[in-house]
């Protein structure tokens, strides 16, 4: 198995684990297979949720917002995505925010950044969050486009924290 396939498998397993804990701590329901094809992982109080597992960037105080996927389709952070909410796992629990409000905030941060190119995507491998903060970045030979915002930016939005529940 190639390094890329191993990483994809690990990401998949970590994502499923995050979805499990999100459902356990919130009472959310599983999404149907049809909804899962639209990057919706759970249903919480009648709203669709895209769950993002614990990432190193989260531990470092940053959140990635994906505008375009690796194949150039609308990413989960775009205005054309399907979920109502996004749940980000942090060590203290899941912060849940409105996806459209997150997208708009990230776009405002990019357009307010005097050093960011509004039309040029900086491409590179393993771009650290601080280098991608409020800029448009992606990976070489991929069509993805994303930015980073800070955890403080995320928490400036209306949010709810779901903390771990012991059973």
């Amino acid at each position: 198995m190639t390094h890329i396939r191993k990483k994809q498998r690990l990401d998949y397993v970590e994502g499923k684990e995050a979805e499990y804990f999100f459902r356990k701590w919130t009472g959310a329901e599983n999404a149907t297979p049809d909804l899962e094809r639209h990057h919706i992982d759970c249903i919480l109080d009648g709203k669709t949720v895209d769950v993002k597992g614990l990432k190193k960037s989260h531990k470092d105080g940053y959140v990635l917002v994906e505008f375009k996927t690796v194949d150039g389709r609308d990413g989960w952070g775009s205005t054309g995505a399907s979920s109502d909410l996004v749940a980000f796992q942090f060590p203290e629990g899941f912060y849940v925010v409105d996806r459209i409000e997150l997208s708009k905030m990230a776009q405002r941060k990019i357009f307010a950044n005097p050093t960011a190119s509004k039309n040029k995507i900086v491409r590179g491998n393993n771009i650290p969050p601080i280098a991608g903060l409020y800029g448009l970045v992606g990976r070489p030979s991929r069509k993805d486009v994303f930015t980073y915002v800070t955890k403080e930016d995320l928490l400036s939005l209306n949010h709810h924290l779901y903390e771990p529940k012991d059973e």
Side-chain angles (χ1 to χ4, degrees), residues 34-148:
D34 185 53
L35 288 175
E36 286 182 355
R37 281 192 288 279
H38 293 93
H39 304 286
I40 294 169
D41 302 312
C42 303
I43 309 294
L44 178 66
D45 299 328
K47 295 195 178 246
T48 56
V49 184
D50 189 355
V51 178
K52 303 299 175 191
L54 183 62
K55 305 287 186 204
K56 181 182 181 313
S57 62
H58 296 176
K59 294 176 186 176
D60 294 340
Y62 298 94
V63 174
L64 181 145
V65 180
E66 179 190 62
F67 297 117
K68 293 285 181 185
T69 64
V70 294
D71 57 1
R73 289 184 283 165
D74 283 343
W76 61 263
S78 74
T79 53
S82 299
S83 68
D84 298 315
L85 306 171
V86 183
F88 293 96
Q89 187 177 18
F90 281 84
E92 64 272 25
F94 286 92
Y95 288 101
V96 179
V97 298
D98 180 274
R99 181 191 52 77
I100 293 174
E101 291 303 312
L102 174 63
S103 179
K104 288 179 180 177
M105 178 270 293
Q107 290 175 44
R108 281 192 307 270
K109 293 285 186 177
I110 292 166
F111 286 104
N113 180 359
T115 62
S117 171
K118 311 310 182 261
N119 300 314
K120 184 172 184 280
I121 301 159
V122 176
R123 297 209 175 266
N125 288 313
N126 301 315
I127 296 172
I130 192 68
L133 187 64
Y134 314 138
L136 294 174
V137 293
R139 291 172 289 177
S141 67
R142 303 279 177 106
K143 296 178 182 176
D144 57 352
V145 179
F146 54 92
T147 192
Y148 285 97

